Amino acid sequence: MPDPVAPADRLDLFVGDITGLSVDAIVNAANSALAGGGGVDGAIHRAAGPELMRYTDANYDGCPTGDCVISPGFGLRAGHVLHCVGPVWRGGSEGEDGQLAGCYVRALALAAENGIATVAFPAISTGIYGFPADRAAAIAVSTVHKELKKYDGIECVTFVCFSDAAADHYRQELAALGRGRDDPVE
Ligand code: AR6
């Protein structure tokens, strides 16, 4: 057996729309009622089609903050959607950091359980839920980097940013892990 690829070398960055990605699973930034909404949640439901809502309604009674549930991707190119419920930002002293980290921990655990090798995450909680983007990127990268040590079968995790400014936060965090300019990020 070859040595597993180091976690830092399984991290990638993409600037653009998550809904078009051909990965095994894209992550949704959902709400705890799994009721759909705006932002990336709205875009994913539009691209997946109405079967997605029918599926989550039939299979789940919502999802707690900091947790995640899985569905098929229906009309998406991605085979699955991992619906994470990030925290609403309330100033940072109400457990928001731990809840946000929990989303990444639970999503990767569910991915591994379901044989998913490639996963793309949006910047959970940093839109409508108001979590500071730099702080969220630090939590996302450090949590995924740590969790990937447990899951050799997860070959690539892509962080997807909607803007170049948002991506800069990830570039900083990835550089701190030794991902330099010459690495195949993006
Ligand atoms: N592809 C990639 N990233 C995107 C896309 C896209 N198509 N669209 C938005 N983003 P948000 P939240 C970025 O607001 O803060 C919904 O109503 C966006 O720029 O989608 O977790 C849910 O139903 C931002 O950086 O999610 C919940 O009620 C990031 O995705 C609530 O919003 C997350 O922004 C969740 O709020």
Side-chain angles (χ1 to χ4, degrees):
M1 280 281 281
D3 286 343
V5 179
D9 295 331
R10 289 184 266 151
L11 303 179
D12 209 345
L13 180 62
F14 174 76
V15 182
D17 182 357
I18 200 169
T19 62
L21 296 186
S22 292
V23 288
D24 293 342
I26 62 171
V27 174
N28 185 15
N31 51 63
S32 57
L34 300 177
V40 72
D41 195 3
I44 287 173
H45 277 278
R46 278 192 298 279
E51 283 168 291
L52 177 55
M53 187 65 78
R54 283 200 284 275
Y55 181 92
T56 53
D57 281 351
N59 288 278
Y60 301 112
D61 185 17
C63 175
T65 301
D67 205 346
C68 179
V69 298
I70 189 167
S71 76
F74 298 105
L76 293 163
R77 296 170 83 177
H80 297 87
V81 181
L82 295 160
H83 304 261
C84 286
V85 182
V88 176
W89 179 253
R90 299 184 199 281
S93 56
E94 300 200 22
E96 296 97 320
D97 289 350
Q99 289 173 327
L100 185 62
C103 289
Y104 291 90
V105 170
R106 289 290 304 132
L108 292 178
L110 266 181
E113 274 171 35
N114 286 275
I116 287 165
T118 54
V119 186
F121 282 95
I124 300 168
S125 282
T126 65
I128 292 162
Y129 281 180
F131 205 108
D134 52 347
R135 184 162 169 156
I139 291 169
V141 173
S142 66
T143 306
V144 170
H145 181 248
K146 181 164 161 248
E147 293 303 302
L148 278 183
K149 292 174 189 156
K150 300 181 192 162
Y151 307 122
D152 294 347
I154 302 181
E155 293 165 9
C156 184
V157 172
T158 303
F159 298 105
V160 181
C161 295
F162 223 23
S163 71
D164 214 43
D168 276 342
H169 300 303
Y170 285 87
R171 291 190 183 101
Q172 265 186 28
E173 298 302 325
L174 292 167
L177 293 177
R179 295 297 307 255
R181 283 169 168 271
D182 297 333
D183 290 328
V185 170
E186 287 178 62

